[in-house]
Amino acid sequence: HLVEQGHAYLGDGGDGRLWGEPGAGTAAPAPDDWKSHLNQAVGIEVIGVRMLGNRLWLHVRLQTETCEGAIPGVKPIAGWLPAYRPSGATAAWFYARGC
């Protein structure tokens, strides 16, 4: 998966919800200090990938450093998210040529 190779980021339209385990229970919303930053490209580190049934899940860590600069006042957080949104759009993208 290309997003595992670095310079990955969350695409537009994400709600910031992360699961503790793929498909288990209800997703937790992003902490309040992250919410105002989720309308921009938030850098992620892809920690792992798992198939659950026919659904691909990404284990990600939201990064405080992005290609656009630092995100002040937040700490990295980790969790799982579906690789594809209900609309079919990809949840994560990558900078093909780096930052």
Side-chain angles (χ1 to χ4, degrees), residues 40-53:
Q40 63 188 27
V42 172
I44 58 172
E45 173 188 359
V46 178
I47 303 166
V49 177
R50 185 182 302 169
M51 283 295 292
L52 184 62

Side-chain angles (χ1 to χ4, degrees), residues 10 16-23 27-31 44-49 57-63 76-83:
L10 293 179
R17 296 181 313 138
L18 296 172
W19 280 256
E21 290 293 327
I44 58 172
E45 173 188 359
V46 178
I47 303 166
V49 177
W57 288 80
L58 303 174
H59 191 197
V60 300
R61 180 176 294 115
L62 278 61
Q63 303 288 59
I77 58 172
W80 290 87
L81 60 99

